[in-house]
Structure formats: structure tokens, C-alpha cells
Amino acid sequence: MNPHATALVLIEFQNDFTTPGGVFHDAVKDVMHQSDMLANTATTVQQARKLGVKIIHLPIQFAEGYPELTTRDYGILKGVADGSAFRTGSWGAEITDAVTREPGDILVEGKRGLDGFATTGLDLVLRNNGIQNLVVAGFLTNCCVEGTVRSGYEKGYNVVTLTDCTATFTDEQQKAAENFTLPMFSKALRHTAFLGALSAK
């Protein structure tokens, strides 16, 4: 896998998921800890960056009062609004310190829904950087990760999902995504296998 044609997209590595005190941290912490996903991701970012992989941070944010979601009366986005999660300017919406950010990284803003491509310039950024291999990590495995992976597959990217750099609410949901859903749209790899494929180039 050519690292210079590869991007690692980090979906919602924000305090409301990653950090004690975050709105959804208690809901995801068991799956996070089971795979050690934060440490795995930090290692992957550091090593992939050194090899020339483009690191892309893809947070989600909403204005005070969630005007973007006013008609959403069900589903995960209702839960976001009800929990006052990912509010622009809040601590919970900040990208976690557990994953390093460097000047060469790219921040893609505008994510307001589940598919990382839908309301952002992600596709433009990838194409402008000559990216062919789309590698995805983050939250929630069976929601925003899956939504972004599906779109990437449809758009013709070679998609990889880093299974031990993702997390969701329950182990059952995580395993179902890893074993059944994600392999339909991506190569589901552990971070060590991905790094090995990069280093072999």
C-alpha cells in the first residue's frame, strides 16, 4: 500500500467520546478499553504520518441549540442533541489530546451527520491529495465509521477499516460490524496489519 496515496481519516476523536466526563464516554468506554483503541490509534497516526500517510481529522460539531437538527426527532442525532454533545466551542467537541495533531495534518470541518462525505469537503481533499487508499478509524463503528466507509466504497476508493481503532456502544455491535457489515465495503484490518502493509511498500 503506497503511503503517499493513502489517507487515515480519524472520525470524531473528540472528548465527548474519548475522555472521562464526555457525554458519550461511559457508553463507549468498555469497547474502547477492550481493544485499547486510543493507544492503537495514537501509534498508527504516529507511524503512518512518518511514512507519508496524510492524516485527516474529521470531527462533528453543532451550533448552540442544534439548529441543524431541528427536524430530527429520532435516532442517534436526536441523542446527540438531547445530550448536548459536540457543541461548537465546547470542551466535548475538542479533538482529544490522546491523538497527536501536527501542522501537516488536515482538519475537515462541516460534518453534521453520519456520512463523513455528505456535508464536508472530504472527497475534494482526498482527490486534491491524490488519495486512492482511504483508511478509517473512529466512532461509532456501526454508525459514522460505517457510513463513511460505505460512501468511500461507492466513490471508488480502496477502503480499509481499522477494527481495533474503532469503538461503539456494545461488544455485540462492534463484532457484528467487524464480522459482517464492514467487510462488505472495506478491508477490515487490525492496525498492525495496516502498518505492515505500509512498511512493505
Side-chain angles (χ1 to χ4, degrees):
M1 192 180 298
N2 180 359
H4 299 287
T6 302
L8 173 57
V9 176
L10 304 170
I11 297 178
E12 295 170 22
F13 278 87
Q14 293 161 270
N15 288 325
D16 272 334
F17 276 134
T18 62
T19 312
V23 172
F24 290 115
H25 178 69
D26 283 349
V28 298
K29 66 180 181 182
D30 288 347
V31 174
M32 283 176 56
H33 294 159
Q34 192 165 343
S35 67
D36 208 13
M37 67 91 73
L38 278 183
N40 293 342
T41 305
T43 297
T44 303
V45 168
Q46 187 177 31
Q47 294 187 22
R49 189 190 281 126
K50 285 180 182 176
L51 291 168
V53 172
K54 188 63 71 178
I55 307 299
I56 299 177
H57 302 271
L58 187 61
I60 192 169
Q61 294 188 17
F62 299 96
E64 192 72 39
Y66 299 86
E68 304 93 339
L69 304 179
T70 49
T71 60
R72 283 293 185 195
D73 60 354
Y74 66 93
I76 187 66
L77 293 176
K78 181 180 187 302
V80 167
D82 289 350
S84 295
F86 307 114
R87 283 178 295 108
T88 300
S90 70
W91 169 84
E94 291 176 6
I95 293 174
T96 178
D97 291 336
V99 176
T100 59
R101 294 177 64 188
E102 293 193 359
D105 295 355
I106 296 174
L107 175 66
V108 173
E109 299 182 290
K111 189 173 186 295
R112 300 290 184 268
L114 313 182
D115 171 3
F117 287 93
T119 60
T120 74
L122 179 60
D123 191 49
L124 179 66
V125 167
L126 295 173
R127 296 193 187 283
N128 282 347
N129 282 277
I131 300 302
Q132 298 171 344
N133 307 310
L134 172 66
V135 183
V136 181
F139 302 87
L140 296 164
T141 315
N142 56 340
C143 188
C144 294
V145 170
E146 181 185 320
T148 304
V149 163
R150 284 173 181 255
S151 277
Y153 180 81
E154 295 274 25
K155 292 177 188 299
Y157 293 100
N158 302 317
V159 187
V160 170
T161 310
L162 300 181
T163 56
D164 58 349
C165 297
T166 62
T168 188
F169 295 138
T170 68
D171 185 59
E172 183 179 27
Q173 291 174 344
Q174 180 75 17
K175 290 295 189 288
E178 289 179 18
N179 295 329
F180 300 107
T181 314
L182 292 170
M184 296 176 71
F185 316 108
S186 70
K187 294 177 182 174
L189 300 179
R190 297 180 68 80
H191 78 285
T192 48
F194 164 60
L195 291 172
L198 283 177
S199 301
K201 187 66 180 174

